[in-house]
Amino acid sequence: MDRVALRGLKARGHHGVFPREREEGQTFIVDLVLGLDTRPAAASDDLAKTVHYGIVAEEVVAVVEGEPVDLIETLAERIADQCLKHEGVQEVEVVVHKPDAPITVPFDDVTITITRSRV
């Protein structure tokens, strides 16, 4: 399986369990690794035979900016579901970063990583 990666997609969302997170929102960063067979696209040099990562990026940002959820686990699942709607994508790894999580001690980042496939 080949991999197409998108790293550092940024969007503002209103996800979290605390009222301040829902009201003010915060930046979320998403990394994706899409698993697919790129041989047909490479052989024909045809975009229609691979995944259009620009469209995937726009769709992922729309998910982050969309309906709020309490957990980044739920957000990651919704992102994975959206990616798997693309016919050629057989597997996706999603990393959701929440660098401004409401934690009372110094930290760099909070992430959830999930892998989902059609199987």
Side-chain angles (χ1 to χ4, degrees), residues 57-117:
E58 291 171 359
E59 292 171 349
V60 168
V61 165
V63 171
V64 175
E65 292 175 343
E67 181 185 349
V69 296
D70 288 342
L71 304 177
I72 58 173
E73 291 86 345
T74 306
L75 181 59
E77 192 73 32
R78 287 183 177 181
I79 292 168
D81 290 345
Q82 181 61 46
C83 292
L84 289 170
K85 288 180 181 178
H86 291 268
E87 185 178 331
V89 176
Q90 298 300 307
E91 181 179 273
V92 62
E93 178 183 276
V94 177
V95 182
V96 175
H97 300 257
K98 189 175 180 180
D100 298 321
I103 297 176
T104 60
V105 297
F107 74 102
D108 288 329
D109 198 5
V110 173
T111 67
I112 177 74
T113 303
I114 66 170
T115 302
R116 299 293 182 265
S117 64

Side-chain angles (χ1 to χ4, degrees), residues 3-9 29-34 51-58 60 83 92-95 97:
R3 305 274 183 239
V4 173
L6 291 94
R7 306 241 187 251
L9 295 171
I29 302 166
V30 178
D31 302 323
L32 301 173
V33 179
L34 307 170
V51 64
H52 191 310
Y53 51 79
I55 291 173
V56 172
E58 291 171 359
V60 168
C83 292
V92 62
E93 178 183 276
V94 177
V95 182
H97 300 257

